[in-house]
Every structure is written in structure tokens, then in C-alpha cells.
Amino acid sequence: MAIMASSSEKLLTGLVAATFTPLTEEGEINIKEIGPYVDYLTERQGVTKIFVNGTTGESMSLTVAERKLLAEEWCKKAKGKMDHVVVHVGCMSLKDSQDLALHATQIKADSIAVISPSFFKPNNAHALRTYLKAVASAAPDLPFYYYHIPSITGVNVLVRDLLVGIEEQIPSFRGVKFSAIDLMDFGLCFSLMKPNWSLLYGVDEQMLSGLVLGADGAVGSTYNYVGCQFNKLLSAFEKGELVEARTIQFKLQDFLGSAMKLGFDVGVNKQLMVEVSGLSLGPPRLPVMPCHPDVAASIKQKYKSIFPQC
Ligand SMILES: CC(=O)N[C@H](C=O)[C@@H](O)[C@H](O)[C@H](O)CO
Ligand SMILES: CC(=O)C(=O)O
């Protein structure tokens, strides 16, 4: 039977950190770092929602078995401390995604999200919707989010086209994580919006623009280490204090602008998190290259000068 939004199901709003995957120096999953990671986010950044095994978590470079181990540990350690764990279950194979979606139900994740496959690409809204429906059907009781990230997948189906009639195809559909800079497409999604959906913006350096259009929240990698500042941005925006909100947004733009000049990628991002948080997250997994120590040092210096209070 199709699920209804139960009264206990809360809308996904506010800041959601897309977590890095802790690895050992040898490149194996470092499960014991997940507990301290959860504590760091809640205690030091004021972030109580996480999006695990996504882009930042290098999910596409992990095996299905590794992803299950990680998802289970994140859910276990987040229990009683965090408000929401989204488990990303997108893979190149539908079967793997269904397997992970079912697993997410078993470990009591709060919701799942799916990135489009990108080797064989769905090339229109109907094909993408049909694919998402097949994944969601493996976990009909879990709120389901589409994760739009065309810069990585090369899947440029307009989200506003995807959303048409999707609630009939996927009763568990609850919204979108929109990681693209096409703000017209994002804006047009709101006219199709249902009361139990959340539209979350995913480009941290222009989060404020997403909020202006009506975003319910934001999912991003930088909220791992600028969460404390971006919670302030959110509350300034809610109070209509635009100057304050812009000041914080401009700081992240200043920071990422210089980081991008030095080649900001998941490897650099991860190393910055290691240095800022003191957590042992290890290197990224190939093909993402480890961050050169000189690059890490100068990015950290920039971070400290812009965000001395984080
Ligand atoms: C491509 C990518 O990883 N996007 C992330 C989320 O979707 C963002 O959180 C970025 O890491 C962030 O906006 C910095 O560019
Ligand atoms: C940013 C994000 O949501 C991800 O890393 O998947």
C-alpha cells in the first residue's frame, strides 16, 4: 500500500552536512571514527542532520558492502544525537541501489536519496522517473529524495520536468537535493511543490540565493566545518537580516574562491576537514588524489583567517 506522510514524519529542513568517509591510512573503512565525527558535528558545528555516502563521502568509489557498513554505523552513532540521517543509495546498477535501499530500511535510516546513474544515462524525465521509481520500490516506507548533480553525472534532465506527476509514481517521494546553479529550474520546482516535500539547495557558495527562492534547507560538504556560521546565516535570513546573511555568504565565497584557485576537490576538502576537526579521516580513495601538504597548509590558513570562530 502506498505510504502517506505519517504524522511523526518531519519535513527535512535546515542544514544537512554531507559527510566524508573515514578511511585508514591504508585506505580501509575506519569505522571507529564515526562516533567522534557525529560528536564533532553536533557539539562543535551545531549540525544535527547528515547526508551519508554521497558525493563528499565518495560513495561511487566504495563497494556495496562498505556502503552498508558505513550506513549502519552512521545510523547507530547518530541515534539519540542527531535528528536525521539521509543515506544515499545511488549506484550504476539498479540492483545495487535496490539492495542498499532495502538495507537502509533495515538499519532504520530516516530517508534515502538517489543520484542518477551516469554511465548509461536516462536521457529524459520519463526515463529518470522510471528509474527512480524502481529504486524507491525497494524501500517503500522510506522518504525518498532525488539528488540532482548534473555537473558530475552529466544528466541534465530539468528537475521541473521530473517532478510532474512524480508523487503518483513514487508515493514515498519527499523532495530534491538540488546541486546545480540553474536557479530558474530550481525556482520553477516550487510551483509543483507538495506540502510534504522539501526542496534542499546543494551549492553551498550560493545557498542564500536558494533560500531567497524558497529552499527548505541545504545539504553540503562545507557545513562539516562552516556549519556554525551557516546556522547563523539561516537564522539571519529567517529574521529578514539580509546584510548579516550576505556577510556570511560572502565569507564562504571568499574562502572557496581561493580554494578553487588551488584546485579544490574532494581530496582537498577532506584534508581541510581533517585539519580543522582533528578527526582521522585518512586520504581520499583513488581516483581522487590526496591533497598536497602545501595546498592543505595554505587553504587551512585562509580558512582560519576567514572563519576564526568556527
Ligand atoms: C560537487 C559537490 O561536491 N557539491 C557539493 C554538494 O552537492 C557541495 O556541497 C560542494 O562541495 C560545495 O558547494 C563546494 O563547492
Ligand atoms: C554535498 C552533498 O550532498 C554530497 O556530498 O553528496
Side-chain angles (χ1 to χ4, degrees):
M1 203 183 78
I3 60 163
M4 307 294 287
S6 73
S7 51
S8 64
E9 187 186 316
K10 279 186 272 163
L11 285 183
L12 184 52
T13 58
L15 271 198
V16 185
T19 56
F20 297 92
T21 291
L23 297 182
T24 62
E25 289 309 314
E26 293 72 40
E28 299 301 324
I29 302 298
N30 186 2
I31 214 79
K32 69 172 191 355
E33 209 59 11
I34 288 179
Y37 196 151
V38 165
D39 292 341
Y40 175 81
L41 288 177
T42 54
E43 291 163 17
R44 303 288 300 280
Q45 297 292 338
V47 170
T48 59
K49 297 172 188 177
I50 49 177
F51 186 102
V52 309
N53 294 348
T55 308
T56 307
E58 299 174 89
S59 56
M60 298 300 182
S61 306
L62 302 172
T63 66
V64 168
E66 287 175 325
R67 287 172 66 168
K68 286 185 179 173
L69 191 69
L70 287 159
E72 191 165 350
E73 190 67 10
W74 282 113
C75 287
K76 215 183 272 173
K77 289 296 189 292
K79 200 169 183 322
K81 292 186 173 174
M82 291 208 143
D83 297 329
H84 198 111
V85 180
V86 188
V87 176
H88 169 251
V89 302
C91 299
M92 290 304 127
S93 160
L94 170 63
K95 289 285 176 192
D96 286 344
S97 285
Q98 290 173 327
D99 185 12
L100 287 172
L102 176 62
H103 178 258
T105 307
Q106 291 160 350
I107 61 171
K108 300 192 164 46
D110 294 293
S111 60
I112 53 172
V114 174
I115 296 182
S116 171
S118 56
F119 188 80
F120 292 120
K121 300 184 196 348
N123 55 17
N124 56 50
H126 172 69
L128 180 54
R129 217 182 290 117
T130 307
Y131 171 80
L132 297 177
K133 178 182 178 177
V135 179
S137 69
D141 294 331
L142 276 187
F144 180 96
Y145 297 91
Y146 168 57
Y147 178 175
H148 181 60
I149 184 156
S151 62
I152 292 185
T153 59
V155 174
N156 289 300
V157 171
L158 292 171
V159 180
R160 59 184 186 268
D161 292 342
L162 177 79
L163 294 184
V164 176
I166 201 165
E167 70 282 4
E168 280 136 38
Q169 298 290 314
I170 308 175
S172 55
F173 191 79
R174 292 292 179 274
V176 179
K177 166 182 169 357
F178 192 103
S179 289
I181 55 175
D182 180 352
L183 288 172
M184 172 164 164
D185 189 31
F186 189 59
L188 285 167
C189 293
F190 288 90
S191 61
L192 300 157
M193 179 89 173
K194 300 286 177 276
N196 61 351
W197 291 3
S198 300
L199 295 182
L200 305 160
Y201 196 59
V203 183
D204 313 2
E205 51 275 42
Q206 47 204 53
M207 187 242 249
L208 182 56
S209 317
L211 291 179
V212 168
L213 291 178
D216 299 284
V219 187
S221 65
T222 66
Y223 311 136
N224 281 289
Y225 47 80
V226 296
C228 60
Q229 290 285 309
F230 270 63
N231 276 320
K232 286 189 196 148
L233 189 162
L234 281 177
S235 56
F237 179 75
E238 276 160 21
K239 285 185 267 175
E241 294 165 2
L242 261 192
V243 173
E244 168 69 0
R246 277 190 207 125
T247 303
I248 300 168
Q249 183 69 82
F250 290 152
K251 282 187 189 179
L252 187 63
Q253 293 189 341
D254 182 14
F255 171 68
L256 284 173
S258 23
M260 283 167 185
K261 267 193 210 154
L262 296 166
F264 186 78
D265 65 1
V266 174
V268 171
N269 208 358
K270 189 176 197 186
Q271 187 57 31
L272 177 69
M273 179 62 177
V274 166
E275 304 207 6
V276 168
S277 66
L279 293 165
S280 295
L281 304 178
R285 179 169 288 179
L286 293 170
V288 178
M289 293 295 281
C291 177
H292 190 281
D294 294 349
V295 171
S298 75
I299 290 184
K300 187 185 175 190
Q301 202 177 22
K302 184 81 183 170
Y303 170 85
K304 285 282 171 207
S305 71
I306 298 178
F307 299 109
Q309 47 314 47
C310 267

